[in-house]
Amino acid sequence: MGLALPAQPPAIVAPAPEGTQGAKPFVLAQIEPPGPVRVEPPPTLPGQKPEQKPEAVRKLPFLKPELDIDMIRTRDLDLLYFAPTETYLTPYVGRSLENALAFQKRFYDWKPWERPTVLLKDFADYGNASARVTPNNALFIEVSPLRQVYETLSAGERFFFLANHETTHLVTMDGWNQTDATWRRIFHGKPLPIPDHPETILYDYLAAPRVTAPRWYPEGSAVFMETWMGGGYGRAEGAYDEMVFRAMVRDNAHFDTPLQLEAEGDKVDFQVGVNDYLYGTRFMSYLAETRSPEKLIQWYRRDPGSKAFYAAQFKHVFGEPLDKVWNEWIAWEHDFQRANLASVQAYPTTKTQRLTPMALGSVSRTYYDPASNSLLGGFRYPGVIAHMGELSLSNGKMRHLADIDGPILYRVTSVAFDPASRTAWFTSDNSDTRRDLIELDVKTGHTKTLLTHERIGDMVFDPADRSLWGLRHDDGLVTLVRIPPPYTAWNQIHTFKYGEVPFDLDISPDGQLLSASVGEINGDQSVRVWRVADLGPDEPVSVAELRLGQATPEGFVFSPDGRYLYGSAYYTGVSNIYRFEVATQKVEAVSNAVTGLFRPIPRPDGSLIAFEYTGQGFAPVRFDPKPLSDLGSIQFLGAKVAEDHPIVKTWTVGSPAKAPFDSMVISRGKYDPLHELHWDSSYPMLEGYKHHMAVGWTALFEDPLQFDQITVTLAYSPAGDLPARERFHAEIDVHNLKWSFKYWHNLADFYDLFGPVDRSLRGDAFIVDYKNPVIYDPPKQMTVSAEIAGYVGLDTIPGAQNIKAGDIHNVAEGKLGFTYEDTDKSLGALDYEKGMRAEGQVIGDYANGQDFPKFWAGIDFGRPLPIKHASLWLYTAVGDAWGDGANPLTPFYMGSFRNNYVDFREVKRYREYDSFPGFGIDAIAARRFAKGLLELNLPPFWFGGVGVSNLYLSSARTALFAGAMLVEPPTGGPTRTLKTLGGQVDFNFTVALRLPMVLSVGYAAGLESGQKTGNEAMISLKIL
């Protein structure tokens, strides 16, 4: 075909909905005045509870709102946002949500069980969203622009797209029939599975059965519907998806079964969780094409007579088991993609030279370094910590330069490079608002942090004045910034209006021209070129502009002479490299790729380096760019669905402008969690108390965002030899984000039903706890905590089940502690592979007129080994106690793995300071101690999914350890030298498709003074 007429794939890409084109229908750049507000109660929804106003509780000073959040309440939803910075967004976001909800209600005949709560937030550097329906319907939407990389997301208006996608999650998971409604009334809501009461796993399924499904099911259905609700503009018609499966067929790659996908495929592959979207969307489109879109929707619905379990409903609708149809799809996909491969190869394909023997997973923008004949950039692939590296073009070896904290999928990090000084700049914490700018000396590998939490990415170096240019995301807007030397401050150049999203900056070698790909609110995409001298607060006027139809042009960079821009686009459905002459604005294709080529790097000799997509990630290749007049094209599965089943063309949601948001508003004000507190769920439960079973009931009160919670539990032990005063159990827990108040009477614990660890306690306790994350800059996190407790009527020492309290029945206790963590791991790892942790605590007990102070502290270090996913860790701890050595409150009590047969706490408990496998629980009493434990973590073994969809084994990880401890007995005597030697294997499996569990098996030998003193075997099932 001639390049002048490279027809777009036959998708039904409709114009953006009316009202998303600009400011006329709704002014996004201004704060909308509230206008007249009708204050009236909202309509009663099926599962709605009456408003709760716990004024007595509201007076507690530590339960005041932690966050200042505004709220707009309509008849259909509660829209929460942070004023004033997000106020300008609320009219349009509200319309988009109301528009999408109206469609879902009409299309599925759905009545939400409760009014959804929607929180707008700016906690991430790129847009995203999530949905939940248990314990309540809620959406969480990041206001930042979406990541425009490889067309992996829709290039249209983001809130329109997110509203359509996320409300599909609500309807497919919250949808109910009378059977579900009966259970929801019994439980007074939809119980959320919680570790404290694993019975809630069953209750959650009974109340909201469609939540129990593998991730590919909700994500595939949401992407499929997002596409047709948007008029055919979405990922079900995405060129990236086509490329992924085309490459798999070309390379004869393995296609996962549903079980393999969840057990391994979305964990060890470089695309991790994106595989759920890819497989799920593709399978949905196949079903629509071969079985009809109407039957597909019937699978999603929760009508009377439908099956609760998603797979049972599949067979009910389609008449065949899901696994059988999945295998049919795989065979069909091979035929479909073979035809596409033949179509692409109908014209001569570009000959490329692979530069490395392996693909590199996700790759940042990379630069050619002539001094070392290498590529410099950020790399993230399974088995190796994400890092800045130097990839030799001579031998294909990677030189590690610096680890990258907080890498992101596909882009990894933002990188700029000055080849003259061999200085690079990259960003850390790339997915959130703490994005930092770091300088890297390529020669030495030394790094220096220049800017912290400034949210600047898409950087490029200007060789003319040695400044850096970048794009800053804040409050949903994008700002072009300049960072002059010494790069410790930035200047605002221009803030683009809402809906304009520039990305992929580059600057000409002479520093006079700046280019960027720009996405617009109506879905249009272009590359624009501006004169640097003309950039300022006013709307920039481009001197050249490149448009490639509906395709997104990305990764365009200047040639060494500044004459051309080279970049990629799916103009024909396949991502090829295009050359754009700035002066004449002439565009030419210079490749005909089979899978796809991206991020070209023009070389002074005229050749190009680019990254070719493979099933293992992106691989660098070299080729000679030659203008082509003919390119191959492909057919899109989404377009085939629309052609063969035109009903999907009628599923458009329409314009958000039609939603009369102003008239829907019934109140505006502040979001007060305590004012929004309501009875959320209630259910029966079991507990254990001193090896006796207790039966009882739990009631949960919380606000929709779960900032404030009140849990009340009452239980009774009906059998056994317990004294009458110990048969009744009660617990009240009131907490918010930082504070908690707890009272319990005869403390019981579900996991005490499954010894050997016993946490139940006789008596009463009043506990006030405070926790504050003083550092939250993942992976760096530090939390300080404080606790004051009073115990009455004890018969054992708190935290030491085998130590009788004697004449100590009442104890006052205070604690002050901290935890610090800075750890990291590579893709596919099941445990942290590098970093450090530190923690410590000062404890003061008072009883019978005596003080019993003590403190302990620990620090841990870990490093990865040359073998993928293997690491070596050293855990250390010391402690000192004062007081009467004969008093049971004085010593530390240690020993054992400290895992229960059934548990929900940390799996590898032997790492904790009071654990020491090979010795009995509380068998080691110490006034002072010092311990060290060396741990070798071996690479995990992946089973690829052994079992069935409701219960399958995914992997096993093995650790070996050896430790030593010096102990000074509490009453004096010679120092004891204790040793432990053992190992633990953790089998990771999944129950009910989404509930992770771990079966741990361990063994350790205990030694003292060189003599073996005992053995300990451990088996433990960790729930949730």
Side-chain angles (χ1 to χ4, degrees):
M1 59 179 238
L3 184 62
L5 298 171
Q8 283 292 298
I12 51 168
V13 180
E18 178 187 356
T20 60
Q21 301 276 347
K24 285 189 178 180
F26 33 89
V27 180
L28 294 175
Q30 297 179 359
I31 296 177
E32 178 177 322
V37 176
R38 303 190 309 276
V39 180
E40 58 183 69
T44 301
L45 298 171
Q48 188 172 338
K49 295 93 177 179
E51 295 286 343
Q52 305 290 323
K53 300 185 188 237
E55 297 298 332
V57 179
R58 286 168 57 82
K59 295 178 181 179
L60 295 173
F62 49 82
L63 288 180
K64 293 181 179 179
E66 295 284 349
L67 299 175
D68 185 15
I69 300 176
D70 281 54
M71 178 171 69
I72 299 174
R73 173 163 290 167
T74 75
R75 289 179 171 272
D76 303 307
L77 57 87
D78 291 343
L79 179 59
L80 280 53
Y81 62 100
F82 292 88
T85 57
E86 295 173 5
T87 307
Y88 80 100
L89 290 171
T90 57
Y92 177 61
V93 174
R95 289 187 180 100
S96 296
L97 290 165
E98 291 282 3
N99 192 45
L101 283 171
F103 172 88
Q104 306 289 11
K105 293 176 184 178
R106 181 177 66 254
F107 191 76
Y108 290 95
D109 191 23
W110 169 56
K111 294 181 180 179
W113 191 254
E114 63 268 313
R115 186 173 52 244
T117 299
V118 182
L119 175 64
L120 297 183
K121 53 194 178 80
D122 191 16
F123 299 165
D125 215 40
Y126 293 99
N128 205 341
S130 61
R132 71 164 188 240
V133 301
T134 55
N136 63 311
N137 294 334
L139 302 179
F140 304 88
I141 301 177
E142 294 288 351
V143 303
S144 291
L146 302 175
R147 269 187 286 172
Q148 297 300 330
V149 53
Y150 309 139
E151 291 194 18
T152 51
L153 287 175
S154 171
E157 200 292 309
R158 61 184 180 269
F159 292 117
F160 175 77
F161 148 70
L162 291 173
N164 295 341
H165 182 99
E166 300 302 330
T167 57
T168 299
H169 284 323
L170 292 185
V171 67
T172 55
M173 294 191 294
D174 178 63
W176 52 276
N177 60 20
Q178 286 304 314
T179 301
D180 305 334
T182 298
W183 285 112
R184 293 178 186 188
R185 293 185 183 106
I186 290 173
F187 298 136
H188 207 274
K190 297 171 287 185
L192 178 71
I194 58 173
D196 286 343
H197 294 294
E199 313 97 305
T200 51
I201 297 172
L202 173 62
Y203 305 153
D204 172 64
Y205 177 76
L206 293 172
R210 294 293 172 83
V211 174
T212 303
R215 193 179 179 209
W216 63 260
Y217 171 78
E219 297 303 349
S221 58
V223 172
F224 181 83
M225 289 305 301
E226 128 213 333
T227 301
W228 305 117
M229 290 171 69
Y233 201 25
R235 289 171 285 178
E237 290 221 78
Y240 183 85
D241 293 45
E242 291 290 348
M243 179 180 68
V244 168
F245 292 101
R246 187 169 67 253
M248 292 176 68
V249 172
R250 183 200 67 169
D251 298 338
N252 197 27
H254 171 74
F255 277 66
D256 285 334
T257 66
L259 191 58
Q260 292 167 341
L261 176 61
E262 297 305 303
E264 182 176 356
D266 61 357
K267 300 175 180 64
V268 302
D269 184 79
F270 89 98
Q271 299 190 99
V272 286
V274 170
N275 281 308
D276 287 313
Y277 292 77
L278 293 167
Y279 275 81
T281 303
R282 202 70 181 177
F283 186 56
M284 301 299 174
S285 294
Y286 167 75
L287 292 173
E289 170 62 18
T290 60
R291 266 75 171 176
S292 85
E294 295 92 335
K295 277 189 171 292
L296 183 65
I297 299 304
Q298 189 180 347
W299 182 29
Y300 300 162
R301 294 171 66 98
R302 186 69 172 112
D303 292 331
S306 64
K307 303 299 182 182
F309 189 48
Y310 88 105
Q313 175 68 358
F314 182 94
K315 188 173 183 180
H316 178 68
V317 171
F318 296 107
E320 298 175 284
L322 189 151
D323 285 350
K324 178 178 181 293
V325 179
W326 186 283
N327 289 332
E328 290 177 2
W329 158 61
I330 293 174
W332 182 95
E333 188 71 50
H334 279 74
D335 291 339
F336 184 80
Q337 295 301 350
R338 287 189 190 105
N340 273 337
L341 288 167
S343 178
V344 171
Q345 294 167 338
Y347 299 94
T349 57
T350 300
K351 304 300 181 183
T352 62
Q353 176 191 356
R354 282 284 292 267
L355 301 178
T356 58
M358 60 173 284
L360 300 171
S362 294
V363 182
S364 74
R365 176 178 177 178
T366 58
Y367 297 85
Y368 177 68
D369 181 7
S372 59
N373 189 30
S374 63
L375 295 181
L376 178 77
F379 303 92
R380 188 189 189 204
Y381 46 90
V384 178
I385 301 288
H387 61 279
M388 288 292 296
E390 197 175 45
L391 180 66
S392 172
L393 297 182
S394 301
N395 55 29
K397 293 184 178 180
M398 179 76 73
R399 176 191 168 209
H400 179 281
L401 296 173
D403 288 343
I404 300 172
D405 291 340
I408 54 177
L409 184 63
Y410 300 131
R411 287 188 178 274
V412 186
T413 182
S414 176
V415 181
F417 180 54
D418 172 21
S421 64
R422 301 198 73 206
T423 302
W425 297 265
F426 68 98
T427 54
S428 65
D429 305 317
N430 294 275
S431 62
D432 56 44
T433 57
R434 295 172 297 275
R435 204 172 202 184
D436 301 337
L437 173 63
I438 300 171
E439 185 176 272
L440 168 67
D441 185 324
V442 175
K443 182 178 180 180
T444 64
H446 294 160
T447 60
K448 178 172 64 174
T449 300
L450 303 173
L451 293 171
T452 59
H453 302 183
E454 293 295 352
R455 305 183 65 173
I456 298 173
D458 275 289
M459 296 184 305
V460 65
F461 176 73
D462 183 355
D465 63 4
R466 301 192 54 77
S467 64
L468 292 173
W469 292 73
L471 296 171
R472 186 173 188 267
H473 292 178
D474 194 28
D475 299 331
L477 301 175
V478 184
T479 298
L480 177 67
V481 302
R482 178 178 177 272
I483 313 172
Y487 315 111
T488 56
W490 55 270
N491 302 319
Q492 177 180 356
I493 302 301
H494 177 76
T495 296
F496 293 84
K497 63 185 179 182
Y498 176 83
E500 284 190 333
V501 181
F503 57 99
D504 285 353
L505 284 184
D506 199 41
I507 199 161
S508 61
D510 60 8
Q512 295 187 24
L513 298 177
L514 184 77
S515 69
S517 296
V518 181
E520 300 179 48
I521 196 170
N522 62 357
D524 288 347
Q525 309 287 311
S526 63
V527 174
R528 301 181 192 176
V529 182
W530 303 285
R531 295 191 188 280
V532 170
D534 296 340
L535 293 171
D538 296 332
E539 187 71 19
V541 178
S542 56
V543 297
E545 191 168 317
L546 166 65
R547 293 183 182 270
L548 292 171
Q550 295 289 341
T552 300
E554 56 183 312
F556 274 78
V557 295
F558 284 94
S559 59
D561 59 7
R563 179 181 175 185
Y564 297 105
L565 281 167
Y566 287 89
S568 66
Y570 296 98
Y571 193 36
T572 63
V574 179
S575 182
N576 279 300
I577 304 301
Y578 293 86
R579 183 173 71 184
F580 177 64
E581 190 171 17
V582 177
T584 65
Q585 303 197 44
K586 179 182 178 182
V587 59
E588 297 173 300
V590 295
S591 76
N592 184 33
V594 176
T595 58
L597 293 171
F598 303 88
R599 294 205 181 108
I601 306 170
R603 298 284 302 277
D605 63 2
S607 66
L608 282 182
I609 293 175
F611 286 87
E612 180 184 23
Y613 178 83
T614 74
Q616 289 73 47
F618 294 88
V621 297
R622 180 190 288 116
F623 68 96
D624 293 325
K626 297 178 180 179
L628 302 175
S629 59
D630 297 300
L631 299 179
S633 62
I634 63 167
Q635 183 180 28
F636 281 57
L637 174 55
K640 184 172 175 58
V641 171
E643 179 182 351
D644 296 340
H645 304 277
I647 190 173
V648 297
K649 301 177 185 180
T650 69
W651 292 355
T652 55
V653 69
S655 169
K658 67 185 180 183
F661 185 69
D662 291 342
S663 62
M664 293 177 170
V665 175
I666 58 176
S667 66
R668 298 176 188 259
K670 293 291 184 181
Y671 180 78
D672 185 341
L674 281 172
H675 185 269
E676 301 299 323
L677 206 69
H678 62 270
W679 187 3
D680 208 40
S681 60
S682 182
Y683 42 81
M685 54 79 192
L686 298 175
E687 291 187 311
Y689 179 79
K690 295 186 176 181
H691 309 292
H692 295 74
M693 179 182 291
V695 295
W697 203 274
T698 290
L700 175 63
F701 303 84
E702 61 184 354
D703 70 285
L705 293 184
Q706 299 180 304
F707 288 168
D708 292 350
Q709 293 180 320
I710 300 175
T711 305
V712 180
T713 299
L714 301 176
Y716 182 75
S717 299
D721 55 357
L722 286 173
R725 66 175 181 171
E726 294 186 51
R727 290 180 176 269
F728 181 71
H729 315 279
E731 186 172 355
I732 300 173
D733 186 358
V734 180
H735 69 265
N736 65 8
L737 297 178
K738 292 182 179 179
W739 291 90
S740 73
F741 168 82
K742 182 180 289 187
Y743 164 76
W744 53 254
H745 172 72
N746 293 331
L747 178 65
D749 188 297
F750 172 85
Y751 298 94
D752 280 12
L753 293 169
F754 309 96
V757 179
D758 189 357
R759 297 177 179 85
S760 55
L761 284 170
R762 190 189 77 181
D764 298 83
F766 301 85
I767 303 170
V768 178
D769 183 76
Y770 173 81
K771 290 183 179 179
N772 186 20
V774 294
I775 298 175
Y776 187 76
D777 189 8
K780 302 178 182 67
Q781 300 179 68
M782 181 174 179
T783 300
V784 297
S785 61
E787 180 180 288
I788 299 176
Y791 300 93
V792 179
L794 294 172
D795 61 351
T796 58
I797 298 301
Q801 67 187 64
N802 296 324
I803 308 302
K804 297 298 181 182
D807 62 349
I808 299 175
H809 301 296
N810 306 324
V811 177
E813 184 175 70
K815 297 179 181 179
L816 182 64
F818 80 95
T819 60
Y820 176 82
E821 183 172 5
D822 182 4
T823 56
D824 202 355
K825 61 182 177 180
S826 64
L827 282 176
L830 295 178
D831 217 334
Y832 288 106
E833 298 170 314
K834 59 158 287 189
M836 64 89 65
R837 304 185 191 94
E839 57 183 332
Q841 194 173 59
V842 176
I843 306 169
D845 291 330
Y846 178 81
N848 294 349
Q850 298 182 65
D851 294 315
F852 303 93
K854 60 172 72 95
F855 89 92
W856 67 270
I859 187 167
D860 314 325
F861 303 94
R863 296 293 299 175
L865 296 176
I867 304 172
K868 288 185 177 180
H869 306 313
S871 62
L872 193 66
W873 282 82
L874 175 64
Y875 301 89
T876 66
V878 296
D880 201 347
W882 296 266
D884 180 2
N887 193 297
L889 280 176
T890 295
F892 296 94
Y893 297 100
M894 295 173 286
S896 171
F897 279 94
R898 305 191 77 87
N899 296 72
N900 247 336
Y901 299 137
V902 179
D903 215 328
F904 74 94
R905 294 162 180 87
E906 174 58 38
V907 170
K908 287 182 164 54
R909 302 292 305 280
Y910 62 78
R911 297 169 172 173
E912 299 176 5
Y913 89 94
D914 57 352
S915 172
F916 207 70
F919 295 81
I921 298 173
D922 302 334
I924 305 170
R927 178 185 290 275
R928 297 179 182 89
F929 72 90
K931 63 175 286 191
L933 186 142
L934 191 65
E935 175 193 63
L936 171 64
N937 288 298
L938 300 178
F941 179 83
W942 293 93
F943 295 98
V946 175
V948 295
S949 60
N950 287 328
L951 176 63
Y952 58 84
L953 179 66
S954 59
S955 62
R957 57 177 180 173
T958 301
L960 305 175
F961 58 82
M965 179 164 57
L966 299 177
V967 173
E968 180 182 316
T971 56
T975 298
R976 301 173 65 189
T977 301
L978 311 178
K979 296 179 182 179
T980 181
L981 183 66
Q984 181 172 317
V985 182
D986 302 318
F987 296 93
N988 297 282
F989 64 100
T990 299
V991 174
L993 299 155
R994 65 187 182 90
L995 301 175
M997 299 193 184
V998 182
L999 178 65
S1000 298
V1001 179
Y1003 173 82
L1007 301 94
E1008 183 167 5
S1009 300
Q1011 299 296 316
K1012 185 176 180 180
T1013 60
N1015 303 306
E1016 182 184 6
M1018 181 274 292
I1019 184 168
S1020 177
L1021 173 63
K1022 179 183 183 295
I1023 296 179
L1024 296 179

